[in-house]
Structure formats: C-alpha cells, structure tokens
C-alpha cells in the first residue's frame, strides 16, 4: 500500500454518512441530545448497525455494547487495525464530538477495503465515552480496566443505570467479560475535534496528540441541618449551601494560585431537601480534577480536601470527601504519531503536537495496543454545546489524515515484522 499518495476519501459518501449518523437525537439548535443508552442513542446505534450491514461489513457487538463493523478477509486470526470513536453525546451537545470520528473511521475502512482488501479492519462505536454513567465505559471494558466497583457507583442513579442496561440488552457480567487481548490489534487510531482553540489560534490544520490528561472524579458532600428558612436565625444555621458555595470558590482560587497546570471543576451541586423555603440540610458537589501529572493531581486533591475541611468547620457542617474514579494520564504511541506527521506532509497540511486536555477512548486503548489521536480545529473552541462546529474542509482533512496514517502505520508494522523475520533467519 505504499504507492497511494494520490488516495483520498470519497467526500460525498463521507458527508452523507455523517449526516445520517447525526439524524437521531438531533436538536432544533443543530446539536445532538443522545446520552448513552438513551432512546435516541440506541436509535442512532440501530442506524449505524443498518449502515454496517448495507455496506457489506460483518457486525459485532460485545458485552459492553461496543458496536463494530468488521472487514475480515481471512478466516485466519490476524491482528486488526481498529478505528473509531463514539456516537453518544452529552445532554444537548454538538454534532461533531464523537460522531465525526465514527463517520471518519467508517469512510476510511471503506476506502481501505477497496485498495487493500487483504487488510483486516474494524470500525468501533464505543459505549458511553462521555460518562453519562461511567466514563469511557466501553473502551475501559474492552481494555480490561473496569472493575465491579466501578459499576457500583455510576454517575447517575444506580437503579436508573440498571434500567438503562436492561433496556439496552446489557448486563454487568457482560460488561466485565468484554475484555479483548492485545494480540487482536495492530493499533487504534481516532479522529476527534480538539474542543479547544489551540489549532484555530495557530491556524493549524491538524493536531498530533502526544497524550491525555488524567481525570479524577469526586463527590464532596456537606451535611448541615435542614430547618425553616424564615424562623431560623442567620447566626444559628447549619447551612450546607453556604459550605458548598464557598468550597466551589475555593476550588477555583486554589487552582489559579497554586496549581496553574491543572484544571478543577465543580460541575453539579445537588441540594436536599431542595425547597426554596428550607435551609439546605445536605449539598453534594460533583467535582473533577484534570492533570497530566498524577502526583500533581494528588497534591491538588489533598489541598482541596483541606479547604473543604476548613469550610465545613467554619459553617458547623460535617463533610464526606469521596473519590469516585480516575482515568490515568496516558501517552500516545510514538510510531503512530510519526505516521500522522508523515501523512500531514504528504497531504500538505500544517500540524502541531499537543496534549489533549479532555479524555478520549484512545486513552483507554493505549493500554491495549499502540494508539494515536488526530485533532482537527474547533471553531471558537465550543464543544459539549450546540455551538460546536468544525468547517467541513477540516473534517475532510481529518479523514484523509486518518486514511494515510492508517496506511503508513500498517506499512511500518509490515516492515518491522519483515525485519524481525530476517533477523531470526540470520541468527
């Protein structure tokens, strides 16, 4: 496959497939609303399932719900090139986050099947990348990183999680038994929008991702005393809302002043009893920390835990500071990165190397096989929003880079294997 400098994706087919995959769960604001295992998400997966069969690929779904299109030209067990992303979205999110990666992978697989029919290729739609229930659920399950404990504390209500699994035909045992072996894969490649402004600000076509930050999630709960909002004096209150609110400010201040290379966010607070005329007896803050450095993330966790304890004492509250789960930071494969760089040269596209500040399925897959992630620009940096947008020319660029990166990576694997065989013969 080394004489393919002229090769490009089929732009019309690519655009039509992307539009088809954006149909289910579309919102009036031109975004997507299909959280993992929702009706809209399951309908989108059925659309993709129909596309897989119509195009003559084999269909596979594992115990975690990961949905794959397979081109296996031989009955012999050969390692497969894996391409993909996810079709689920955050609530009222955008069209490009994940869905573009699936459409790009599916298009590239169709081209590879035409030009190199002996190459085994798999396109995968991972389950719950966005973490509606468990972050990176499908790819963590496939790479053997999920434990029963991870599934006992989903981000949503546990009963609701079990109902969603039942509606989707999935089980806890099925999820935990969906691990695959590294020998099954040559590598994994993914195209994704940047979800930031670095490429756009530098007017760069392609981002070659060097690695991804670790993401650490916590429940910080302040326990006070629910009481009448009108008859309880202000100086006698045990108001959990005061503690949670001040803690939220302390998170922002601590990161800005002492941990400038980290990110920390309180994205949700739940108030109980949750009535306007009752002092909050309990407030739970959902917090995450992001950092490329695991030690720095631990230091930040300790600093925020100390701040939470101070706040709790100040307002006569009790405190629970619980770690939910962590996704460890991960480096991308250097050989795949070189293939992406070479592809950019071949396609005359500008590029830069950069870390990903968001988590992606490539982060999980890097523990299973060589993995690479290609970024394309996000207009204005908007993501997880209906304002999410990437010009179509940039989408085409990303798919073509994925195509040529896949080809060059496979060529490098073939050359490496050939060299190893020759060394064995000579010895």
């Amino acid at each position: 496959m080394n004489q393919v400098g002229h090769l490009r994706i089929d732009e019309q087919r690519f655009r039509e497939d992307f539009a088809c995959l954006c149909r289910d769960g579309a919102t009036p604001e031109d975004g997507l609303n299909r959280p993992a295992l929702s009706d809209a998400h399951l309908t989108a997966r059925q659309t993709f399932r129909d596309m897989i069969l119509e195009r003559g690929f084999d269909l596979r779904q594992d115990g975690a719900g990961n949905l794959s299109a397979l081109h296996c030209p031989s009955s012999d067990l050969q390692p497969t090139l894996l391409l993909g992303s996810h079709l689920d979205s955050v609530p009222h999110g955008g069209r490009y986050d994940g869905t573009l990666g699936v459409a790009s992978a599916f298009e590239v697989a169709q081209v590879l099947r035409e030009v190199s029919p002996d190459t085994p290729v798999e396109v995968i739609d991972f389950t719950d990348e966005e973490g509606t229930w468990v972050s990176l659920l499908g790819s963590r399950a496939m790479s053997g990183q999920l434990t029963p404990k991870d599934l006992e504390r989903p981000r949503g209500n546990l009963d609701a999680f079990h109902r969603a699994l039942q509606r989707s035909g999935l089980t806890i045992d099925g999820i935990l038994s969906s691990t695959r072996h590294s020998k099954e894969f040559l590598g994994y490649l993914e195209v994704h929008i940047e979800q930031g402004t670095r490429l756009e600000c530098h007017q760069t076509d392609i981002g070659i991702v060097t690695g991804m930050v670790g993401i650490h999630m916590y429940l910080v709960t302040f326990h006070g005393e629910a009481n009448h909002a009108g008859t309880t004096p202000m100086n006698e209150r045990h108001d959990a809302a005061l503690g949670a609110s001040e803690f939220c400010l302390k998170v922002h201040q601590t990161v800005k002043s002492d941990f400038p290379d980290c990110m920390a966010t309180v994205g949700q607070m739940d108030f109980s009893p949750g009535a306007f005329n009752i002092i909050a007896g309990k407030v739970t803050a959902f917090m995450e920390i992001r950092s490329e450095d695991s030690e720095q993330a631990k230091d930040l966790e300790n600093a925020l835990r100390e701040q939470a304890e101070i706040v709790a004492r100040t307002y006569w509250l009790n405190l629970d500071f619980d770690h939910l789960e962590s996704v460890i930071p991960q480096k991308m494969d250097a050989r795949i990165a070189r293939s992406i760089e070479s592809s950019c040269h071949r396609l005359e596209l500008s590029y830069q190397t950069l870390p990903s500040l968001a988590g992606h399925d490539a982060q999980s897959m890097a523990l299973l096989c060589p993995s690479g992630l290609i970024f394309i620009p996000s207009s204005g940096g908007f993501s997880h929003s209906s304002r999410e947008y990437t010009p179509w020319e940039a989408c085409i660029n990303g798919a073509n880079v994925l195509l040529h990166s896949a080809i060059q990576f496979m060529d490098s694997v073939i050359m490496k294997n050939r060299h190893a065989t020759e060394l064995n013969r000579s010895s």
Side-chain angles (χ1 to χ4, degrees):
M1 290 197 299
N2 54 1
Q3 302 297 323
V4 291
H6 66 283
L7 195 62
R8 300 291 185 274
I9 63 163
D10 183 325
E11 295 180 13
Q12 181 175 347
R13 180 174 64 190
F14 177 40
R15 186 158 203 162
E16 290 173 354
D17 286 352
F18 176 64
C20 186
L21 291 173
C22 289
R23 182 184 62 203
D24 304 304
T27 65
E29 301 80 19
D30 207 26
L32 284 180
N33 183 34
R34 50 188 192 210
L37 309 184
S38 65
D39 289 343
H41 179 227
L42 298 179
T43 303
R45 289 195 134 177
Q46 184 59 53
T47 296
F48 187 41
R49 187 178 285 109
D50 293 342
M51 291 170 63
I52 291 169
L53 296 176
E54 288 168 2
R55 305 292 169 85
F57 287 91
D58 293 329
L59 180 70
R60 171 175 179 162
Q61 181 170 316
D62 67 15
N66 297 317
L67 183 63
S68 294
L70 299 167
H71 171 61
C72 302
S74 171
S75 59
D76 297 334
L77 294 178
Q78 301 180 62
T80 301
L81 177 67
L82 187 65
L83 313 171
S85 196
H86 60 98
L87 290 176
D88 66 292
S89 81
V90 297
H92 300 283
R95 295 191 302 157
Y96 297 84
D97 178 358
T99 302
L100 182 69
V102 174
S104 300
F106 193 51
E107 172 57 30
V108 166
Q110 292 176 89
V111 176
L112 290 176
R113 185 176 59 175
E114 295 164 3
V115 301
S116 182
D118 294 333
T119 301
V121 180
E122 178 175 351
V123 175
I124 191 162
D125 160 34
F126 286 111
T127 300
D128 198 13
E129 190 269 358
E130 296 290 4
T132 295
W133 305 105
V134 178
S135 61
L136 305 175
L137 187 152
S139 55
R140 288 170 67 196
M142 180 182 283
S143 55
Q145 298 176 58
L146 279 184
T147 67
K149 184 178 179 180
D150 294 322
L151 301 175
E152 291 170 0
R153 301 187 70 180
R155 291 181 177 179
N157 176 274
L158 181 60
D159 290 338
F161 178 47
H162 286 161
R163 289 195 297 271
L165 292 179
Q166 185 176 24
R167 184 173 63 247
S168 309
L170 304 177
T171 64
I172 298 295
D173 288 342
I175 292 171
L176 295 173
S177 65
S178 58
T179 302
R180 294 172 69 175
H181 197 282
S182 60
K183 292 181 179 179
E184 295 182 52
F185 303 108
L186 290 171
Y188 172 73
L189 288 91
E190 179 176 355
V191 168
H192 206 282
I193 58 171
E194 183 198 346
Q195 302 176 287
T197 59
R198 291 169 295 177
L199 295 177
E200 184 178 60
C201 287
H202 290 92
Q203 297 183 318
T204 304
D205 297 316
I206 297 294
I208 304 175
V209 177
T210 55
M212 274 160 275
V213 296
I215 306 175
H216 313 274
M217 287 145 277
Y218 306 85
L219 289 182
V220 184
T221 305
F222 293 90
H223 299 273
E225 184 177 87
N227 214 332
H228 196 289
T231 62
T232 308
M234 298 297 286
N235 62 346
E236 295 181 10
R237 298 184 176 203
H238 299 257
D239 190 343
L242 290 176
S245 300
E246 183 160 328
F247 175 70
C248 188
L249 293 173
K250 293 292 186 183
V251 169
H252 181 75
Q253 293 164 1
T254 301
V255 174
K256 281 192 69 176
S257 62
D258 300 329
F259 297 87
D261 295 329
C262 297
M263 301 283 187
T265 304
V266 176
Q268 179 182 342
M269 289 197 288
D270 286 349
F271 292 75
S272 177
F276 72 93
N277 58 354
I278 305 176
I279 297 164
K282 182 177 77 170
V283 178
T284 300
F286 295 77
M287 181 183 73
E288 69 163 36
I289 291 172
R290 299 186 183 220
S291 175
E292 290 185 85
D293 186 323
S294 295
E295 289 300 318
Q296 195 173 47
K298 187 63 178 178
D299 290 343
L300 176 55
E301 175 192 332
N302 290 335
L304 294 178
R305 187 186 298 270
E306 182 178 350
Q307 291 291 342
E309 290 169 350
I310 293 171
V311 167
R313 288 195 298 270
T314 300
Y315 294 102
W316 307 302
L317 307 171
N318 293 318
L319 172 71
D320 291 326
F321 197 108
D322 298 321
H323 174 252
L324 287 180
E325 60 175 320
S326 288
V327 178
I328 62 173
Q330 194 60 248
K331 297 293 185 184
M332 295 292 96
D333 183 76
R335 186 168 45 164
I336 291 183
R338 289 193 295 271
S339 297
I340 300 171
E341 181 178 349
S342 178
S343 299
C344 290
H345 285 296
R346 173 177 287 178
L347 295 166
E348 299 182 336
L349 296 172
S350 58
Y351 65 90
Q352 67 181 85
T353 59
L354 72 179
S356 172
L357 303 177
H360 299 284
D361 290 310
Q363 191 162 2
S364 304
M365 296 306 296
L367 293 175
L368 186 63
C369 62
S371 297
L373 182 60
I374 299 162
F375 273 170
I376 57 175
S378 295
S379 294
F382 294 110
S383 186
H384 287 188
S385 158
S386 60
R387 298 179 70 182
E388 184 177 277
Y389 176 72
T390 293
W392 189 246
E393 181 181 357
C395 299
I396 293 170
N397 288 341
N400 277 321
V401 170
L402 179 65
L403 171 63
H404 283 271
S405 300
I407 291 170
Q408 295 200 42
F409 174 65
M410 286 189 290
D411 282 346
S412 72
V413 170
I414 292 169
M415 291 297 294
K416 180 182 178 181
N417 292 342
R418 185 178 299 163
H419 181 64
T421 302
E422 291 172 354
L423 286 177
N424 289 334
R425 286 174 180 171
S426 63
S427 62

